[in-house]
Amino acid sequence: MISVELLTVILLAFILIFFALGAPVGLALGGIAMMVGYFTWGDGIFNVIPTTIEATFFSFILLAIPLYIYMGQLLTHSGIGDAMFKASQMVIGRIRGSLAISVVFICSMIGAMVGIIGAGIMSSGSIALKPMLDAGYNKRLALGTIMAGGALGILIPPSIPMIMFAASTQNSVGRMFLGAMVPAAITVTLLVAYIIISSIIKPQNAPLLSENNPGLPKLKGKEKLRVFRDGFLSIGLIFVVLGSIISGIATPTESGALGVAGAILLAIFFKRFKLEMMRTVGLQTGILVSVAMWIILGASVFSNFHLLMGIQGMISDFTHGLDLPPIMIIIMFQLIMLFLGFIIDEFIIVLMCAPLFTPIAVSLGYDPIWFGVLMIINILIAVQTPPYGFALFYLKGIAPPEIGMGEIYKSVAPFILVNLIVLITCMIFPEIVLWLPDKVMG
């Protein structure tokens, strides 16, 4: 019988080879698990597939994923996301760095609506990048702000990776959402503080906006009222969706359906509802959901095979054998997930690591919600870290052709540092994560 350690090495080697060859992630993970399992255990390993399908595709919690994606696509394609951006700029006004501050607020909200880092960055960038560059903002500040705001969406409820963590570890989605809210607020505050301070130190990076500046929405009279109404009713929809979960009125899945209905009603009310838009939204949602579900299935098959091998016991024995303080074990897990974030996306990290690491963290005396929020913040950092953080390539896809990868690498550094500060602070002070869920849900 092959040892668990050797099987783990073989699995990781095959993963690196298949990813280097550009194989589809979901099929690669599931296929590798079944191939190695067949040669190790024989035909019996194929029983993992139907049991995984039943546990995954028939999960009521995971039904929230297509609903939140559909809601996000409705809001962005109907132009309501653009209205949110303009409304935010109207409120903040003409102060130095105001456009970048608006981008942090609105792109993080758009990222939360879309629910996936790649889609969040691309949706946010398509709305906000051109106005910033047209306004004369420094390219690095503009690019870094788009990256920070768009990626921050996975830390702001409703977050698809949080739903996946809760489903794979049998924890409360509502507690996960509440646990992430204070760290998300701290992150936004620190990002805004960095923008203001850097704009004061280097005024040329963030020119003051004027009526003639192309980065400022030129709105008058009734048009201002319309933009204000559209933008803040859209933001209000996000709070209604989140509030229905926190108050216990609706489950996360039911709140997703509520969000879809609300997004359609807003599009109709704002006279932006078009059949062509619905066709595009349905197609984009179908593509994103199909990709997400194949990844979830493949990663779940891989994770279940790994668990059947006894990987959890191996990791537990290894960590206890190190005779390290519990916090050092948590730091080690963070470093592993940080490395994984260089080569795979947030879905796979959650589905592979959450079932393995969370029970060990709990056995060490830590709260699973605290560990889950640390995991989400860690992923947020990993996918933005040069040279291989995959979110960097999404940003390159929407950047003007003259902006190279070197410029993008330099643009994200200060924003990654902000996220790292938040991660370390939450690690040292767990109350930052746990206070709100304990207060609201007990």
Side-chain angles (χ1 to χ4, degrees), residues 413-425:
F415 298 95
I416 291 173
L417 183 60
V418 166
N419 289 318
L420 191 59
I421 291 169
V422 175
L423 176 64
I424 294 170
T425 304

PDB file of all heavy atoms in Angstrom, residues 413-425:
ATOM      1  N   ALA A 413       1.745  46.894  -5.136  1.00  0.00           N
ATOM      2  CA  ALA A 413       2.552  46.683  -3.927  1.00  0.00           C
ATOM      3  C   ALA A 413       1.977  47.356  -2.671  1.00  0.00           C
ATOM      4  O   ALA A 413       1.791  46.695  -1.642  1.00  0.00           O
ATOM      5  CB  ALA A 413       3.990  47.119  -4.170  1.00  0.00           C
ATOM      6  N   PRO A 414       1.681  48.668  -2.686  1.00  0.00           N
ATOM      7  CA  PRO A 414       1.169  49.294  -1.454  1.00  0.00           C
ATOM      8  C   PRO A 414      -0.194  48.759  -1.026  1.00  0.00           C
ATOM      9  O   PRO A 414      -0.489  48.692   0.172  1.00  0.00           O
ATOM     10  CB  PRO A 414       1.076  50.781  -1.817  1.00  0.00           C
ATOM     11  CG  PRO A 414       1.047  50.832  -3.300  1.00  0.00           C
ATOM     12  CD  PRO A 414       1.841  49.659  -3.771  1.00  0.00           C
ATOM     13  N   PHE A 415      -1.009  48.355  -1.980  1.00  0.00           N
ATOM     14  CA  PHE A 415      -2.337  47.843  -1.644  1.00  0.00           C
ATOM     15  C   PHE A 415      -2.247  46.436  -1.047  1.00  0.00           C
ATOM     16  O   PHE A 415      -3.033  46.077  -0.172  1.00  0.00           O
ATOM     17  CB  PHE A 415      -3.223  47.856  -2.895  1.00  0.00           C
ATOM     18  CG  PHE A 415      -3.442  49.234  -3.441  1.00  0.00           C
ATOM     19  CD1 PHE A 415      -2.647  49.735  -4.460  1.00  0.00           C
ATOM     20  CD2 PHE A 415      -4.434  50.048  -2.923  1.00  0.00           C
ATOM     21  CE1 PHE A 415      -2.830  51.018  -4.962  1.00  0.00           C
ATOM     22  CE2 PHE A 415      -4.637  51.333  -3.418  1.00  0.00           C
ATOM     23  CZ  PHE A 415      -3.822  51.825  -4.433  1.00  0.00           C
ATOM     24  N   ILE A 416      -1.290  45.641  -1.516  1.00  0.00           N
ATOM     25  CA  ILE A 416      -1.044  44.331  -0.909  1.00  0.00           C
ATOM     26  C   ILE A 416      -0.594  44.507   0.534  1.00  0.00           C
ATOM     27  O   ILE A 416      -1.005  43.754   1.428  1.00  0.00           O
ATOM     28  CB  ILE A 416       0.015  43.546  -1.718  1.00  0.00           C
ATOM     29  CG1 ILE A 416      -0.556  43.141  -3.072  1.00  0.00           C
ATOM     30  CG2 ILE A 416       0.485  42.312  -0.948  1.00  0.00           C
ATOM     31  CD1 ILE A 416       0.454  42.506  -3.999  1.00  0.00           C
ATOM     32  N   LEU A 417       0.261  45.513   0.778  1.00  0.00           N
ATOM     33  CA  LEU A 417       0.738  45.786   2.139  1.00  0.00           C
ATOM     34  C   LEU A 417      -0.430  46.116   3.070  1.00  0.00           C
ATOM     35  O   LEU A 417      -0.461  45.661   4.229  1.00  0.00           O
ATOM     36  CB  LEU A 417       1.744  46.942   2.113  1.00  0.00           C
ATOM     37  CG  LEU A 417       2.386  47.312   3.457  1.00  0.00           C
ATOM     38  CD1 LEU A 417       3.152  46.121   4.028  1.00  0.00           C
ATOM     39  CD2 LEU A 417       3.323  48.517   3.287  1.00  0.00           C
ATOM     40  N   VAL A 418      -1.394  46.872   2.590  1.00  0.00           N
ATOM     41  CA  VAL A 418      -2.582  47.198   3.394  1.00  0.00           C
ATOM     42  C   VAL A 418      -3.327  45.922   3.781  1.00  0.00           C
ATOM     43  O   VAL A 418      -3.703  45.722   4.944  1.00  0.00           O
ATOM     44  CB  VAL A 418      -3.519  48.151   2.616  1.00  0.00           C
ATOM     45  CG1 VAL A 418      -4.894  48.224   3.294  1.00  0.00           C
ATOM     46  CG2 VAL A 418      -2.914  49.537   2.516  1.00  0.00           C
ATOM     47  N   ASN A 419      -3.546  45.030   2.797  1.00  0.00           N
ATOM     48  CA  ASN A 419      -4.242  43.773   3.083  1.00  0.00           C
ATOM     49  C   ASN A 419      -3.455  42.900   4.056  1.00  0.00           C
ATOM     50  O   ASN A 419      -4.041  42.221   4.903  1.00  0.00           O
ATOM     51  CB  ASN A 419      -4.488  42.998   1.781  1.00  0.00           C
ATOM     52  CG  ASN A 419      -5.533  43.643   0.900  1.00  0.00           C
ATOM     53  OD1 ASN A 419      -6.558  44.110   1.374  1.00  0.00           O
ATOM     54  ND2 ASN A 419      -5.277  43.693  -0.397  1.00  0.00           N
ATOM     55  N   LEU A 420      -2.132  42.926   3.943  1.00  0.00           N
ATOM     56  CA  LEU A 420      -1.277  42.150   4.846  1.00  0.00           C
ATOM     57  C   LEU A 420      -1.397  42.669   6.274  1.00  0.00           C
ATOM     58  O   LEU A 420      -1.439  41.880   7.236  1.00  0.00           O
ATOM     59  CB  LEU A 420       0.173  42.218   4.370  1.00  0.00           C
ATOM     60  CG  LEU A 420       1.173  41.258   5.025  1.00  0.00           C
ATOM     61  CD1 LEU A 420       0.741  39.810   4.827  1.00  0.00           C
ATOM     62  CD2 LEU A 420       2.570  41.480   4.459  1.00  0.00           C
ATOM     63  N   ILE A 421      -1.470  43.982   6.431  1.00  0.00           N
ATOM     64  CA  ILE A 421      -1.656  44.585   7.763  1.00  0.00           C
ATOM     65  C   ILE A 421      -2.977  44.119   8.371  1.00  0.00           C
ATOM     66  O   ILE A 421      -3.049  43.769   9.553  1.00  0.00           O
ATOM     67  CB  ILE A 421      -1.606  46.126   7.669  1.00  0.00           C
ATOM     68  CG1 ILE A 421      -0.186  46.588   7.340  1.00  0.00           C
ATOM     69  CG2 ILE A 421      -2.089  46.771   8.969  1.00  0.00           C
ATOM     70  CD1 ILE A 421      -0.085  48.059   6.975  1.00  0.00           C
ATOM     71  N   VAL A 422      -4.031  44.087   7.551  1.00  0.00           N
ATOM     72  CA  VAL A 422      -5.345  43.637   8.038  1.00  0.00           C
ATOM     73  C   VAL A 422      -5.290  42.171   8.448  1.00  0.00           C
ATOM     74  O   VAL A 422      -5.828  41.779   9.491  1.00  0.00           O
ATOM     75  CB  VAL A 422      -6.435  43.865   6.967  1.00  0.00           C
ATOM     76  CG1 VAL A 422      -7.774  43.281   7.431  1.00  0.00           C
ATOM     77  CG2 VAL A 422      -6.587  45.350   6.669  1.00  0.00           C
ATOM     78  N   LEU A 423      -4.631  41.333   7.641  1.00  0.00           N
ATOM     79  CA  LEU A 423      -4.510  39.903   7.952  1.00  0.00           C
ATOM     80  C   LEU A 423      -3.803  39.689   9.288  1.00  0.00           C
ATOM     81  O   LEU A 423      -4.285  38.935  10.150  1.00  0.00           O
ATOM     82  CB  LEU A 423      -3.753  39.183   6.836  1.00  0.00           C
ATOM     83  CG  LEU A 423      -3.455  37.697   7.066  1.00  0.00           C
ATOM     84  CD1 LEU A 423      -4.744  36.890   7.137  1.00  0.00           C
ATOM     85  CD2 LEU A 423      -2.538  37.145   5.976  1.00  0.00           C
ATOM     86  N   ILE A 424      -2.676  40.358   9.485  1.00  0.00           N
ATOM     87  CA  ILE A 424      -1.904  40.201  10.723  1.00  0.00           C
ATOM     88  C   ILE A 424      -2.696  40.718  11.916  1.00  0.00           C
ATOM     89  O   ILE A 424      -2.710  40.101  12.987  1.00  0.00           O
ATOM     90  CB  ILE A 424      -0.546  40.925  10.595  1.00  0.00           C
ATOM     91  CG1 ILE A 424       0.322  40.237   9.525  1.00  0.00           C
ATOM     92  CG2 ILE A 424       0.186  40.947  11.938  1.00  0.00           C
ATOM     93  CD1 ILE A 424       1.573  41.008   9.160  1.00  0.00           C
ATOM     94  N   THR A 425      -3.383  41.859  11.726  1.00  0.00           N
ATOM     95  CA  THR A 425      -4.180  42.430  12.822  1.00  0.00           C
ATOM     96  C   THR A 425      -5.302  41.489  13.239  1.00  0.00           C
ATOM     97  O   THR A 425      -5.533  41.275  14.436  1.00  0.00           O
ATOM     98  CB  THR A 425      -4.774  43.791  12.391  1.00  0.00           C
ATOM     99  OG1 THR A 425      -3.717  44.655  11.976  1.00  0.00           O
ATOM    100  CG2 THR A 425      -5.529  44.438  13.546  1.00  0.00           C
TER     101      THR A 425
END
